[in-house]
PDB file of all heavy atoms in Angstrom:
ATOM      1  N   ILE B 935      10.947  22.723 -19.767  1.00 94.00           N
ATOM      2  CA  ILE B 935      10.641  23.245 -18.426  1.00 94.00           C
ATOM      3  C   ILE B 935       9.167  23.619 -18.324  1.00 94.00           C
ATOM      4  O   ILE B 935       8.496  23.350 -17.314  1.00 94.00           O
ATOM      5  CB  ILE B 935      11.546  24.450 -18.106  1.00 94.00           C
ATOM      6  CG1 ILE B 935      12.994  23.992 -17.903  1.00 94.00           C
ATOM      7  CG2 ILE B 935      11.047  25.191 -16.874  1.00 94.00           C
ATOM      8  CD1 ILE B 935      13.980  25.122 -17.710  1.00 94.00           C
ATOM      9  N   GLN B 936       8.620  24.237 -19.380  1.00 94.00           N
ATOM     10  CA  GLN B 936       7.197  24.569 -19.386  1.00 94.00           C
ATOM     11  C   GLN B 936       6.337  23.303 -19.323  1.00 94.00           C
ATOM     12  O   GLN B 936       5.303  23.267 -18.647  1.00 94.00           O
ATOM     13  CB  GLN B 936       6.855  25.383 -20.635  1.00 94.00           C
ATOM     14  CG  GLN B 936       7.418  26.792 -20.630  1.00 94.00           C
ATOM     15  CD  GLN B 936       6.870  27.624 -19.478  1.00 94.00           C
ATOM     16  OE1 GLN B 936       5.706  27.506 -19.105  1.00 94.00           O
ATOM     17  NE2 GLN B 936       7.730  28.452 -18.903  1.00 94.00           N
ATOM     18  N   CYS B 937       6.762  22.253 -20.006  1.00 94.00           N
ATOM     19  CA  CYS B 937       6.026  20.978 -19.940  1.00 94.00           C
ATOM     20  C   CYS B 937       6.046  20.426 -18.518  1.00 94.00           C
ATOM     21  O   CYS B 937       5.029  19.928 -18.009  1.00 94.00           O
ATOM     22  CB  CYS B 937       6.636  19.966 -20.910  1.00 94.00           C
ATOM     23  SG  CYS B 937       6.497  20.415 -22.655  1.00 94.00           S
ATOM     24  N   GLU B 938       7.198  20.520 -17.854  1.00 93.00           N
ATOM     25  CA  GLU B 938       7.307  20.015 -16.480  1.00 93.00           C
ATOM     26  C   GLU B 938       6.470  20.852 -15.519  1.00 93.00           C
ATOM     27  O   GLU B 938       5.860  20.314 -14.588  1.00 93.00           O
ATOM     28  CB  GLU B 938       8.769  20.001 -16.049  1.00 93.00           C
ATOM     29  CG  GLU B 938       9.609  18.990 -16.814  1.00 93.00           C
ATOM     30  CD  GLU B 938      11.089  19.100 -16.500  1.00 93.00           C
ATOM     31  OE1 GLU B 938      11.553  20.225 -16.178  1.00 93.00           O
ATOM     32  OE2 GLU B 938      11.792  18.094 -16.580  1.00 93.00           O
ATOM     33  N   LEU B 939       6.455  22.172 -15.733  1.00 93.00           N
ATOM     34  CA  LEU B 939       5.615  23.027 -14.887  1.00 93.00           C
ATOM     35  C   LEU B 939       4.141  22.685 -15.083  1.00 93.00           C
ATOM     36  O   LEU B 939       3.356  22.664 -14.122  1.00 93.00           O
ATOM     37  CB  LEU B 939       5.872  24.499 -15.221  1.00 93.00           C
ATOM     38  CG  LEU B 939       7.250  25.050 -14.837  1.00 93.00           C
ATOM     39  CD1 LEU B 939       7.408  26.484 -15.343  1.00 93.00           C
ATOM     40  CD2 LEU B 939       7.432  24.997 -13.320  1.00 93.00           C
ATOM     41  N   PHE B 940       3.752  22.402 -16.315  1.00 93.00           N
ATOM     42  CA  PHE B 940       2.369  21.998 -16.570  1.00 93.00           C
ATOM     43  C   PHE B 940       2.047  20.685 -15.855  1.00 93.00           C
ATOM     44  O   PHE B 940       0.986  20.539 -15.252  1.00 93.00           O
ATOM     45  CB  PHE B 940       2.165  21.847 -18.072  1.00 93.00           C
ATOM     46  CG  PHE B 940       0.888  21.156 -18.452  1.00 93.00           C
ATOM     47  CD1 PHE B 940      -0.331  21.800 -18.343  1.00 93.00           C
ATOM     48  CD2 PHE B 940       0.899  19.839 -18.901  1.00 93.00           C
ATOM     49  CE1 PHE B 940      -1.518  21.166 -18.681  1.00 93.00           C
ATOM     50  CE2 PHE B 940      -0.275  19.187 -19.227  1.00 93.00           C
ATOM     51  CZ  PHE B 940      -1.481  19.848 -19.119  1.00 93.00           C
ATOM     52  N   ALA B 941       2.979  19.739 -15.903  1.00 92.00           N
ATOM     53  CA  ALA B 941       2.744  18.449 -15.235  1.00 92.00           C
ATOM     54  C   ALA B 941       2.676  18.612 -13.726  1.00 92.00           C
ATOM     55  O   ALA B 941       1.872  17.954 -13.053  1.00 92.00           O
ATOM     56  CB  ALA B 941       3.844  17.457 -15.615  1.00 92.00           C
ATOM     57  N   SER B 942       3.503  19.503 -13.151  1.00 91.00           N
ATOM     58  CA  SER B 942       3.499  19.699 -11.697  1.00 91.00           C
ATOM     59  C   SER B 942       2.310  20.506 -11.210  1.00 91.00           C
ATOM     60  O   SER B 942       2.035  20.542 -10.011  1.00 91.00           O
ATOM     61  CB  SER B 942       4.800  20.391 -11.276  1.00 91.00           C
ATOM     62  OG  SER B 942       4.881  21.689 -11.870  1.00 91.00           O
ATOM     63  N   SER B 943       1.580  21.193 -12.122  1.00 90.00           N
ATOM     64  CA  SER B 943       0.420  21.994 -11.713  1.00 90.00           C
ATOM     65  C   SER B 943      -0.827  21.152 -11.466  1.00 90.00           C
ATOM     66  O   SER B 943      -1.875  21.703 -11.181  1.00 90.00           O
ATOM     67  CB  SER B 943       0.121  23.050 -12.779  1.00 90.00           C
ATOM     68  OG  SER B 943      -0.278  22.410 -13.998  1.00 90.00           O
ATOM     69  N   GLU B 944      -0.721  19.819 -11.597  1.00 88.00           N
ATOM     70  CA  GLU B 944      -1.819  18.878 -11.366  1.00 88.00           C
ATOM     71  C   GLU B 944      -3.037  19.264 -12.224  1.00 88.00           C
ATOM     72  O   GLU B 944      -4.083  19.633 -11.697  1.00 88.00           O
ATOM     73  CB  GLU B 944      -2.202  18.827  -9.886  1.00 88.00           C
ATOM     74  CG  GLU B 944      -3.010  17.596  -9.535  1.00 88.00           C
ATOM     75  CD  GLU B 944      -3.298  17.506  -8.038  1.00 88.00           C
ATOM     76  OE1 GLU B 944      -2.917  18.453  -7.318  1.00 88.00           O
ATOM     77  OE2 GLU B 944      -3.893  16.501  -7.609  1.00 88.00           O
ATOM     78  N   PRO B 945      -2.905  19.161 -13.547  1.00 90.00           N
ATOM     79  CA  PRO B 945      -4.045  19.495 -14.422  1.00 90.00           C
ATOM     80  C   PRO B 945      -5.241  18.583 -14.198  1.00 90.00           C
ATOM     81  O   PRO B 945      -6.373  18.973 -14.429  1.00 90.00           O
ATOM     82  CB  PRO B 945      -3.456  19.334 -15.835  1.00 90.00           C
ATOM     83  CG  PRO B 945      -2.291  18.412 -15.664  1.00 90.00           C
ATOM     84  CD  PRO B 945      -1.725  18.709 -14.310  1.00 90.00           C
ATOM     85  N   VAL B 946      -4.961  17.352 -13.740  1.00 88.00           N
ATOM     86  CA  VAL B 946      -6.018  16.398 -13.386  1.00 88.00           C
ATOM     87  C   VAL B 946      -5.729  15.913 -11.975  1.00 88.00           C
ATOM     88  O   VAL B 946      -4.629  15.425 -11.712  1.00 88.00           O
ATOM     89  CB  VAL B 946      -6.065  15.209 -14.369  1.00 88.00           C
ATOM     90  CG1 VAL B 946      -7.042  14.152 -13.883  1.00 88.00           C
ATOM     91  CG2 VAL B 946      -6.475  15.698 -15.752  1.00 88.00           C
ATOM     92  N   PRO B 947      -6.650  16.052 -11.039  1.00 86.00           N
ATOM     93  CA  PRO B 947      -6.362  15.634  -9.658  1.00 86.00           C
ATOM     94  C   PRO B 947      -6.258  14.129  -9.546  1.00 86.00           C
ATOM     95  O   PRO B 947      -6.806  13.377 -10.353  1.00 86.00           O
ATOM     96  CB  PRO B 947      -7.572  16.181  -8.874  1.00 86.00           C
ATOM     97  CG  PRO B 947      -8.669  16.297  -9.885  1.00 86.00           C
ATOM     98  CD  PRO B 947      -7.998  16.634 -11.178  1.00 86.00           C
ATOM     99  N   GLY B 948      -5.520  13.712  -8.501  1.00 82.00           N
ATOM    100  CA  GLY B 948      -5.449  12.285  -8.198  1.00 82.00           C
ATOM    101  C   GLY B 948      -4.093  11.656  -8.392  1.00 82.00           C
ATOM    102  O   GLY B 948      -3.896  10.508  -7.992  1.00 82.00           O
TER     103      GLY B 948
END
Side-chain angles (χ1 to χ4, degrees):
I935 290 175
Q936 290 298 323
C937 295
E938 293 173 330
L939 292 175
F940 167 74
S942 63
S943 65
E944 198 176 4
V946 173

